[in-house]
Amino acid sequence: MNYKLINCTKISSNALKYIIEFVWPRGLDGVNIYIKYSGDTFSGIAYTDENRVSLRIGRRIKFPFCCGDKKLIRYGYTDMSMLKNTKEVLVSLCAHELAHLWQMTVSKQKFTKTKLHKYEYGGTKMECLYKMEKHSSEYAKRKLKQWRKHIKK
C-alpha cells in the first residue's frame, strides 16, 4: 500500500491514515489523497488519469447524517447509512472513492460496460456509470459496517 496524504484540515493526519489504511482496496497502489474542508456536507471524486482522490468534508455537518439519497438509487448509489460522526463520514467517503480507483486500475471486471446516467443534483450536472456507483456504494457500506464492529472492540 503506497499513498501520499495531503491533509488540509485540522483532523489528525495519523487518524486519517488509520482510516485510509482500514478501507484500502487490495492491490491499489500509488495514490495521492487530498482532504480539505468545504461547507456543511461532504463529497469526493476519483481521478484515474492522475491516480488521485480528492475529498471534501464539511466542518458543520449535523449528525446523525443520512448518507445517500433515495432519488439516486436508479443511478447505482445504494448507501443509505446514518453516519454518526466525522470519522464515519471519512470511512464511507474514502472507501467509496478508493473503490472507484480500484475499479479502473486493478479490477478485471468490466465496470465501464454499463449505462451512463446524466442527471442534475443540487444544481450541478452529474454523470455516472451504474455498475461503478453500485459497487463503490456497496463497498463503502461494507467497510462502514466493519469499522463500527472494529471500533466497538
Side-chain angles (χ1 to χ4, degrees), residues 28-86:
L28 191 61
D29 204 24
V31 178
N32 290 319
I33 302 170
Y34 297 84
I35 301 178
K36 63 183 177 180
Y37 287 124
S38 89
D40 57 359
T41 189
F42 59 92
S43 64
I45 189 162
Y47 299 94
T48 54
D49 58 334
E50 300 172 24
N51 222 27
R52 172 171 66 102
V53 167
S54 181
L55 308 174
R56 294 173 176 245
I57 183 160
R59 290 184 183 182
R60 301 177 303 274
I61 298 173
K62 304 273 193 262
F63 293 105
F65 185 92
C66 183
C67 181
D69 186 325
K70 289 180 183 177
K71 292 180 247 172
L72 298 179
I73 290 173
R74 68 178 150 233
Y75 305 124
Y77 297 93
T78 58
D79 192 357
M80 296 296 166
S81 301
M82 193 61 76
L83 302 175
K84 300 172 189 170
N85 55 49
T86 302

Side-chain angles (χ1 to χ4, degrees), residues 1-17:
M1 166 181 351
N2 179 22
Y3 66 93
K4 180 180 177 184
L5 172 64
I6 295 90
N7 179 11
C8 300
T9 71
K10 291 184 179 180
I11 302 167
S12 155
S13 289
N14 286 337
L16 292 172
K17 287 177 182 178

Side-chain angles (χ1 to χ4, degrees), residues 102-118:
W102 178 86
Q103 291 164 345
M104 297 302 291
T105 61
V106 178
S107 177
K108 303 288 187 236
Q109 296 177 52
K110 304 280 191 229
F111 285 102
T112 57
K113 302 281 185 193
T114 188
K115 184 173 175 143
L116 173 67
H117 290 281
K118 295 183 179 189

